[in-house]
Amino acid sequence: MSKSSLDRILNALRDDIQTRQAGEKLPTVRDLMEQFQASPITINKALKALSLEGKIVTKTGSGTFVADPIHRRETKPTAWQEITLGTRYHPGDNLREFMANVPSGCIPLQSGYLDSELQAVEALQSSLKAVMRKPTVWGWAPTEGLEELRAWFAHEAGGYVRAADVQIVSGGQAALATIFSALTEPGQHVLVESPTYLGALAVMRSNKVNPIAVPTDAQGVIPEFLESAFQKTGAKVFYTQPRHSNPSGATLSPYRRKRVLEIAEKYQAFIVEDDYLNGLTFEGTHSPPLISENENHVIYLRSLTKSVAPSLRVGAVIAKGAARARINSMSVVDGLFVSRLLQETALHFLTSPAWPKHLKKLHQELKYRRNIALQELKNIPGLTPYTHPTGGVHMWLRLPEGIRAEEFTRAAERNGVIVVCGNVYFPAEPSGDFIRMSFGSVDPQTLKDGIHRLGEVVRELSPAALPTTLTAGRARSSS
């Protein structure tokens, strides 16, 4: 039954309840089904909603009754809170909107997570069944994380990193919150790539830390601008994503890797290396983490949510010295410890033959979908990939001249496809009009359909930008 039909039933039941006395029994589900010509599922949804509103109570074995007045009390206005709290922009607003449910009928090309078909669900289920046999799986876990899991992350990071340097955390976003709480104070400057991950910007602004934009290009952050920013601001932290940066897709070149590390040493600064896409390089060389070359200046974080499944909220922060001690302490404050069940499941999966098999399949599928996206985009003049992605799940697309990012994003949603407005990724003024589009979050046919809809939006917003070859090109690519 449609949502409008459910609303109609709810409104009718609310009106009926107003005419009844507290404690009076309502008609049975069967009677309500006949009255509204609805399925039992729909009727139960309506009753559940009324129960949550406090208008009815259900007594097992007896039926459903009108709640007494104390339970039916109308919700009081909350406008006073705006005065008490004060009005201000909350740094998590953009992030919350990004994570919101996609409207029914829309193609979700905004997600940074794998298509459900690409997630390691079956392997995770097998690992979960295996670890559930352990009597300790629901018990306490060490605050720093399970020793074996910490050792796995340390080995993956390489260099002189050891298990003792690793702190297990609840995913990448939690890691960022812990790191910036531990390393910075309100009012301090933090250097960031421009554009950069909006979740990192949200954490910084929440901590009242000032993100300072450092220009980038297709080879990552530009060292000359990075050094100049350190000189001018006195900043002691630089946040970077050297591998397949979110959103631009840029990967730091070998020469720039060396220069960035030299600059950090020169200014006695920390590099926060967000290696969120470790394992998702599907073409070319898989470069080692920066921390493998300099473990004293690099604070490293990695999560499993992108490469395995969104709800495997397990990640690691790696650091040495006083930074490690502060991060470990702040992690305890933030959440005591990460679920032992999740840690045990992750460890079992990562040390099983299923992990390399999963990565091999993932690389093949992501490369295939990347190629589909590039081919389809050729039919849309002006909608141009910033880089030729060699890893990850998304593309950074420059919009045709004269089309604003906000305007395009709104028009795309009207046309049934969701992408991310590029403006939210810039810590200062945007350097151009971009959108971020995921190619790994949907199946191949849905990806084609979504890009075709984007082409229609380009044609709608700038008719002169699309020649008649668009239609012919689309027909060729579909044949």
Side-chain angles (χ1 to χ4, degrees):
M1 180 168 284
S2 67
K3 185 178 186 296
S4 60
S5 298
L6 177 59
D7 290 340
R8 177 177 59 82
I9 294 171
L10 274 169
N11 290 332
L13 288 174
R14 289 188 186 106
D15 291 341
D16 181 52
I17 289 170
Q18 291 296 325
T19 67
R20 296 176 181 269
Q21 298 295 318
E24 186 176 345
K25 188 175 182 178
L26 294 181
T28 65
V29 171
R30 183 180 297 275
D31 291 338
L32 293 173
M33 288 168 55
E34 294 179 359
Q35 177 182 344
F36 294 107
Q37 292 297 296
S39 69
I41 294 176
T42 302
I43 296 299
N44 281 314
K45 282 184 177 179
L47 294 176
K48 182 177 180 181
L50 292 170
S51 178
L52 291 173
E53 292 174 10
K55 289 181 168 58
I56 62 173
V57 291
T58 300
K59 299 177 182 179
T60 304
S62 299
T64 304
F65 302 84
V66 177
D68 59 55
I70 192 170
H71 291 114
R72 283 197 289 159
R73 186 179 64 191
E74 295 296 328
T75 302
K76 293 183 178 181
T78 60
W80 64 270
Q81 294 185 8
E82 295 183 19
I83 299 173
T84 301
L85 295 174
T87 56
R88 68 181 179 92
Y89 160 76
H90 193 278
D93 287 347
N94 286 332
L95 196 60
R96 188 180 66 250
E97 291 175 8
F98 175 74
M99 296 296 293
N101 290 331
V102 173
S104 177
C106 284
I107 295 176
L109 297 187
Q110 90 293 353
S111 176
Y113 294 112
L114 294 171
D115 174 19
S116 58
E117 295 180 359
L118 301 182
Q119 296 169 18
V121 176
E122 291 184 5
L124 285 176
Q125 289 173 336
S126 296
S127 292
L128 179 60
K129 289 179 181 178
V131 302
M132 284 293 289
R133 301 189 187 106
K134 295 184 177 183
T136 58
V137 76
W138 291 108
W140 168 87
T143 56
E144 66 274 14
L146 299 180
E147 178 73 19
E148 298 89 341
L149 186 58
R150 296 164 67 205
W152 184 88
F153 277 109
H155 179 266
E156 287 279 302
Y160 292 94
V161 173
R162 300 293 180 262
D165 306 321
V166 179
Q167 172 69 48
I168 301 299
V169 292
S170 297
Q173 192 64 29
L176 289 171
T178 296
I179 289 170
F180 287 111
S181 294
L183 300 185
T184 63
E185 297 288 343
Q188 289 184 342
H189 298 305
V190 172
L191 306 185
V192 300
E193 295 164 325
S194 181
T196 193
Y197 172 48
L198 63 90
L201 293 176
V203 168
M204 294 175 203
R205 289 165 177 157
S206 180
N207 288 349
K208 295 183 172 56
V209 172
N210 305 317
I212 304 297
V214 182
T216 64
D217 59 22
Q219 297 184 61
V221 68
I222 301 173
E224 293 76 13
F225 289 119
L226 178 63
E227 181 160 18
S228 175
F230 271 121
Q231 288 175 340
K232 292 179 179 179
T233 66
K236 293 300 180 183
V237 178
F238 168 50
Y239 170 74
T240 178
Q241 296 174 310
R243 192 197 314 270
H244 315 306
S245 177
N246 182 6
S248 73
T251 293
L252 196 61
S253 67
Y255 167 75
R256 292 189 183 182
R257 286 170 59 92
K258 180 180 178 182
R259 284 290 296 126
V260 167
L261 291 171
E262 289 173 349
I263 291 169
E265 286 195 4
K266 178 178 178 180
Y267 291 93
Q268 292 293 289
F270 291 107
I271 297 173
V272 176
E273 178 183 13
D274 188 347
D275 199 11
Y276 77 110
L277 283 182
N278 191 309
L280 292 187
T281 298
F282 52 74
E283 186 174 85
T285 304
H286 180 86
S287 56
L290 292 176
I291 195 171
S292 66
E293 300 177 36
N294 188 324
E295 71 281 358
N296 290 326
H297 285 269
V298 177
I299 309 296
Y300 176 86
L301 66 108
R302 176 181 176 183
S303 173
L304 301 176
T305 58
K306 301 295 186 185
S307 57
V308 184
S311 282
L312 189 64
R313 308 301 298 177
V314 175
V317 177
I318 302 177
K320 286 184 176 290
R324 179 193 65 192
R326 290 193 181 190
I327 288 168
N328 291 358
S329 296
M330 187 56 65
S331 181
V332 175
V333 172
D334 289 342
L336 293 182
F337 60 87
V338 177
S339 162
R340 188 176 191 117
L341 177 63
L342 284 182
Q343 290 192 65
E344 294 275 14
T345 301
L347 179 62
H348 186 278
F349 170 65
L350 295 170
T351 55
S352 75
W355 171 238
K357 289 181 181 178
H358 168 66
L359 288 182
K360 182 178 180 180
K361 175 186 175 182
L362 202 52
H363 294 166
Q364 293 171 345
E365 284 292 329
L366 290 176
K367 185 175 182 179
Y368 173 62
R369 298 181 194 202
R370 185 277 314 267
N371 290 342
I372 288 176
L374 290 174
Q375 184 61 40
E376 293 293 313
L377 287 167
K378 289 180 181 179
N379 300 319
I380 311 177
L383 192 58
T384 311
Y386 184 75
T387 63
H388 183 93
T390 58
V393 298
H394 66 263
M395 287 184 179
W396 187 234
L397 302 177
R398 188 185 298 276
L399 294 175
E401 186 70 27
I403 298 181
R404 303 279 75 85
E406 304 96 324
E407 176 188 24
F408 186 92
T409 306
R410 289 193 297 268
E413 184 170 355
R414 290 195 301 270
N415 203 37
V417 58
I418 308 298
V419 291
V420 188
C421 177
N423 294 355
V424 299
Y425 295 98
F426 289 93
E429 290 76 16
S431 61
D433 287 284
F434 298 87
I435 60 168
R436 200 195 75 168
M437 181 200 78
S438 296
F439 57 83
S441 62
V442 294
D443 64 83
Q445 186 56 54
T446 303
L447 176 62
K448 291 181 181 180
D449 293 341
I451 295 176
H452 178 58
R453 294 187 189 185
L454 294 181
E456 292 174 342
V457 175
V458 171
R459 181 167 52 188
E460 170 196 335
L461 298 180
S462 56
L466 274 185
T468 55
T469 54
L470 173 61
T471 305
R474 174 66 187 175
R476 287 194 300 270
S477 67
S478 300
S479 61

